[in-house]
Amino acid sequence: MPYNVITTDTNMSQIQPMPNEYYAPTGYCIPQETVLTNVKLANAYVPFQNLCTTFPPVESLSRGTAFPELYSPYRSPDKPMKTPRYE
Amino acid sequence: MDKNRQKLLKQLSALDFMAVDLNLYLDTHPYDRDALLRYNSIVMQANALRSYYERMYGPLYSFRSTSDYPWRWINNPWPWEYEFNFKLAGEE
């Protein structure tokens, strides 16, 4: 068993990406890799992204990204706050 | 600038923006078939919209848009002028 396994908090995936008629994927989709093994303390890691869906074009333009999982406005109630869960 | 032109230009800019975002994703995910399908579809939509826009309102590029007679590129408004552009602020 690798000495530390960090499963990034999957509750972010509970935030269903905004339904979007053109791009909505079928089925349940987590927009990133969720298990990092053999990660060292104090090293920064960016989990690998996995495309699930995109915002519609005009919303992407005004939000600054086409990917719901990357949309994180500084001042907004829907700013996803997460804490990693350690096993 | 008239409403319809402004709407068209905004949609065109949005499509180009998405093409760039998907391009960045594809750079690190070249084997993601779904992403490539979306990218191609966005680019085709943008190209179709661009040719429609240019037929209606004139060239968007001075070096790769054909032009009616006389040379239309020098007509106002210029792309950098406020009047040429759509308003996006305050919509999000």
Side-chain angles (χ1 to χ4, degrees):
Chain A
M1 171 66 185
Y3 60 91
N4 57 2
V5 173
I6 296 179
T7 308
T8 46
D9 191 327
T10 49
N11 84 359
M12 183 174 99
S13 51
Q14 265 71 48
I15 304 172
Q16 278 311 320
M18 203 194 54
N20 145 348
E21 66 315 331
Y22 186 75
Y23 298 102
T26 52
Y28 187 76
C29 182
I30 296 177
Q32 66 174 68
E33 84 182 296
T34 53
V35 176
L36 302 177
T37 52
N38 291 332
V39 288
K40 278 176 57 190
L41 199 58
N43 279 20
Y45 290 87
V46 176
F48 212 63
Q49 183 182 5
N50 166 39
L51 174 64
C52 291
T53 185
T54 57
F55 290 131
V58 176
E59 279 76 8
S60 300
L61 182 62
S62 53
R63 288 178 183 159
T65 178
F67 302 102
E69 56 269 18
L70 297 180
Y71 175 58
S72 173
Y74 189 71
R75 262 188 314 279
S76 147
D78 64 2
K79 184 168 190 329
M81 285 301 176
K82 299 175 300 308
T83 49
R85 201 165 27 81
Y86 297 97
E87 282 164 7
Chain B
M1 132 162 105
D2 71 61
K3 263 266 156 275
N4 188 22
R5 177 170 178 231
Q6 194 175 47
K7 203 163 64 69
L8 217 52
L9 198 58
K10 183 196 290 188
Q11 183 65 25
L12 194 50
S13 304
L15 287 168
D16 284 348
F17 176 85
M18 281 199 81
V20 171
D21 238 21
L22 285 166
N23 149 28
L24 294 172
Y25 178 86
L26 285 163
D27 288 351
T28 48
H29 299 70
Y31 294 98
D32 186 325
R33 190 180 300 278
D34 181 38
L36 193 50
L37 287 176
R38 290 177 196 238
Y39 170 81
N40 286 333
S41 141
I42 291 274
V43 167
M44 284 187 284
Q45 282 176 59
N47 290 341
L49 209 59
R50 205 181 327 275
S51 51
Y52 174 75
Y53 176 95
E54 290 188 325
R55 264 201 314 281
M56 301 275 285
Y57 304 105
L60 278 170
Y61 299 91
S62 62
F63 53 90
R64 48 183 261 228
S65 306
T66 55
S67 172
D68 300 336
Y69 182 83
W71 176 246
R72 289 183 70 174
W73 174 252
I74 52 174
N75 297 348
N76 289 326
W78 291 90
W80 54 82
E81 286 178 336
Y82 181 79
E83 193 227 329
F84 183 93
N85 289 286
F86 53 88
K87 215 175 59 49
L88 190 62
E91 283 194 8
E92 179 39 50

